[in-house]
């Protein structure tokens, strides 16, 4: 309830299964009713859940959105999209962070991403530990658009560990431009969540809602027809672990999964509230709910703290033999290539209405990120 831009590892997570997950989830939201999602627990089989979601999948197979038609190659129109956010948008780690980033001092061409903060100083300066230019999840969106013969010019305005409010204060001249057909808004991960849950001073749901509305109103003053999409992100495994307590306690896993669901529920509710309070939001892109469904369907491991390692892939980054940027401990906060891919698919489907299942097992983002497509033929 609502009160308050450059010169210019198991490989089970296949495209088909993930696409089925996100399409089933998004269809419910696109139809205007967020349903209660089952809590994480014993996963049902992927086959069972895919079968159950078939009626919902037909929604995107049979209907193209106005955005898809207007931005198709045949229309001769190039749609400009801006992604505003932080490291949950640029992805932090390679290969996601630099995916489809524009080569400095060379002319832009799709599907390259125009990094609005490349080479900037002051508050818009990008972290030296996260070398730019950035591509990230917008880069995934842009490649999917190219594959689907949609004409998009995709920009990113991201500042690591920064709220929408601070992004707008630092880059209002970028964000409030008349040329945008769509603007994607991703908030600092803890801000939409209640402080009573996170015990974090940056948690401020009401401030999040105001931030969304401030940007929506500023964009619509100069671009009245622009579509605004809040990007609902995932729950942090690290935060859920902190809430659950000591991992050596026998009830830690139970407490951890409970905390993970509470974070997911609170985040979704807050994003819904931001949209409802504003009234001029096109739609919420529910990446967090797609992550939850991937966990529930047994396609990804929701608990990286298990004493016996799971063979399922992590949607969070974790840790690898080589990490860019370097880290000393696992990161269960930022996305892995699997998590970023799933989030990019959610955003693309929500924003364009395109049926990405048409791309099949040869889909290029998955291939370039090292995600196998051998199960894609199943859809």
């Amino acid at each position: 309830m609502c009160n308050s831009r450059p010169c210019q590892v198991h490989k089970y997570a296949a495209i088909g299964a993930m696409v089925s997950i996100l399409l089933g989830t998004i269809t419910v939201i696109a139809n205007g009713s967020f349903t209660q999602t089952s809590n994480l627990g014993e996963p049902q089989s992927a086959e069972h859940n895919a079968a159950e979601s078939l009626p919902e999948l037909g929604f995107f197979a049979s209907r193209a959105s106005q955005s898809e038609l207007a931005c198709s190659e045949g229309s001769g129109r190039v749609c400009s999209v801006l992604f505003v956010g932080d490291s949950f948008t640029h992805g932090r780690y390679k290969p996601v962070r630099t995916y489809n980033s524009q080569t400095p001092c060379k002319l832009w061409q799709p599907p390259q991403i125009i990094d609005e903060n490349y080479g900037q100083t002051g508050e818009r300066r990008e972290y030296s530990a996260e070398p730019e230019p950035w591509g990230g999840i917008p880069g995934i969106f842009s490649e999917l658009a190219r594959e689907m013969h949609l004409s998009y010019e995709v920009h990113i305005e991201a500042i690591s560990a920064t709220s929408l409010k601070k992004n707008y204060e630092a880059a209002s001249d970028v964000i409030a431009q008349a040329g945008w057909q769509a603007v994607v808004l991703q908030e600092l991960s803890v801000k939409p969540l209640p402080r009573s849950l996170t015990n974090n001073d940056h948690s401020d749901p009401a401030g999040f809602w105001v931030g969304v509305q401030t940007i929506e109103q500023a964009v619509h003053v100069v671009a009245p027809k622009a579509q605004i999409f809040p990007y609902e992100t995932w729950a942090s495994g690290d935060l859920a672990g902190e809430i659950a307590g000591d991992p050596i306690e026998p009830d830690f896993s139970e407490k951890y999964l409970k905390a993970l669901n509470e974070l997911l529920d609170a985040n979704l509710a807050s994003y819904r509230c931001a949209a409802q309070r504003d009234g001029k939001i096109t739609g919420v892109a529910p990446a967090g709910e797609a992550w939850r469904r991937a966990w529930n369907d047994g396609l990804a491991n929701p608990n990286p703290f298990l004493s016996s390692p799971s063979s399922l892939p992590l949607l969070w980054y974790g840790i690898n033999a080589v990490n860019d940027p370097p880290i000393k401990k696992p990161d269960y906060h930022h996305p892995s290539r699997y998590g970023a891919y799933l989030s990019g698919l959610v955003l693309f489907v929500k924003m364009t209405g395109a049926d990405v299942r048409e791309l099949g097992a040869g889909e290029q983002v998955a291939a370039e990120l090292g995600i196998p497509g051998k199960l894609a033929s199943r859809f």
Side-chain angles (χ1 to χ4, degrees):
M1 183 175 182
C2 298
N3 294 320
S4 334
R5 185 194 303 202
C7 292
Q8 277 225 256
V9 327
H10 186 355
K11 297 182 177 179
Y12 183 61
I15 305 167
M18 283 190 171
V19 169
S20 295
I21 290 169
L22 70 97
L23 284 172
T25 300
I26 296 172
T27 300
V28 174
I29 295 170
N31 286 333
S33 59
F34 288 82
T35 60
Q36 179 65 36
T37 309
S38 60
N39 287 341
L40 298 170
E42 290 300 320
Q44 298 180 17
S45 70
E47 293 80 4
H48 174 81
N49 285 281
E52 285 193 331
S53 65
L54 284 176
E56 294 180 335
L57 296 179
F59 176 86
F60 285 109
S62 62
R63 190 182 96 177
S65 71
Q66 290 183 344
S67 176
E68 180 183 1
L69 295 173
C71 304
S72 65
E73 290 178 350
S75 72
R77 181 191 188 198
V78 177
C79 292
S80 296
V81 177
L82 175 68
F83 284 75
V84 180
D86 65 6
S87 54
F88 275 26
T89 292
H90 69 63
R92 181 166 168 78
Y93 298 99
K94 293 182 71 173
V96 173
R97 188 186 73 241
T98 56
Y99 184 70
N100 275 334
S101 60
Q102 184 178 0
T103 303
C105 302
K106 290 190 177 181
L107 292 176
W108 171 85
Q109 60 182 11
Q112 294 175 340
I113 303 305
I114 299 172
D115 183 350
E116 294 284 352
N117 290 337
Y118 176 70
Q120 293 292 321
T121 59
E123 293 182 349
R124 291 172 59 188
R125 178 177 59 86
E126 295 172 342
Y127 287 1
S128 59
E130 301 166 342
E132 72 278 359
W134 295 337
I137 290 172
I140 295 172
F141 175 99
S142 189
E143 172 57 28
L144 290 169
R146 186 196 68 79
E147 293 180 60
M148 294 297 294
H149 305 289
L150 302 179
S151 298
Y152 279 89
E153 180 182 290
V154 183
H155 300 237
I156 181 172
E157 189 286 307
I159 306 173
S160 294
T162 300
S163 68
L164 287 173
K165 179 178 184 293
K166 290 186 177 180
N167 266 284
Y168 184 69
E169 291 172 348
S172 60
D173 58 331
V174 172
I175 296 170
Q177 287 191 36
W180 304 128
Q181 276 72 54
V183 178
V184 178
L185 304 178
Q186 175 256 308
E187 183 59 276
L188 181 72
S189 63
V190 298
K191 191 164 182 176
L193 303 170
R195 193 173 303 181
S196 59
L197 180 59
T198 67
N199 196 31
N200 188 305
D201 290 342
H202 293 291
S203 290
D204 180 13
F208 161 53
W209 305 334
V210 171
V212 169
Q213 188 165 49
T214 297
I215 294 179
E216 176 272 306
Q217 292 177 343
V219 171
H220 280 152
V221 166
V222 294
K225 296 183 179 180
Q227 298 181 316
I228 310 295
F229 294 93
Y231 161 29
E232 181 246 339
T233 53
W234 50 90
S236 169
D238 284 332
L239 179 54
E242 291 176 14
I243 294 171
D246 192 338
I248 69 172
E249 294 297 324
D251 60 347
F252 172 80
S253 287
E254 180 182 351
K255 289 181 177 179
Y256 166 80
L257 292 175
K258 180 176 181 292
L260 195 63
N261 271 294
E262 289 175 344
L263 291 170
L264 288 163
D265 290 342
N267 201 44
L268 178 59
S270 194
Y271 270 83
R272 289 182 63 189
C273 199
Q276 291 168 359
R277 288 172 59 89
D278 180 273
K280 295 182 180 180
I281 297 300
T282 307
V284 175
E289 288 304 283
W291 280 46
R292 169 148 51 186
R293 188 161 178 181
W295 292 325
N296 286 342
D297 286 3
L299 297 174
N301 174 22
N303 187 355
F305 302 103
L306 292 171
S307 55
S308 300
S310 170
S311 61
L312 298 177
L314 282 174
L315 299 180
W316 298 292
Y317 182 80
I319 192 167
N320 296 314
V322 177
N323 307 278
D324 183 351
I327 54 175
K328 296 182 179 181
K329 65 179 183 178
D331 181 342
Y332 304 130
H333 182 68
H334 292 93
S336 67
R337 64 189 70 193
Y338 295 100
Y341 182 60
L342 180 54
S343 300
L345 284 168
V346 170
L347 284 156
F348 183 73
V349 171
K350 182 65 179 178
M351 295 171 65
T352 70
D355 185 357
V356 289
R357 294 172 300 165
E358 296 175 8
L359 299 174
E363 198 284 305
Q364 287 302 294
V365 178
E368 292 168 359
L369 291 179
I371 300 172
K374 62 183 180 181
L375 296 185
S377 60
R378 292 173 57 189
F379 63 86

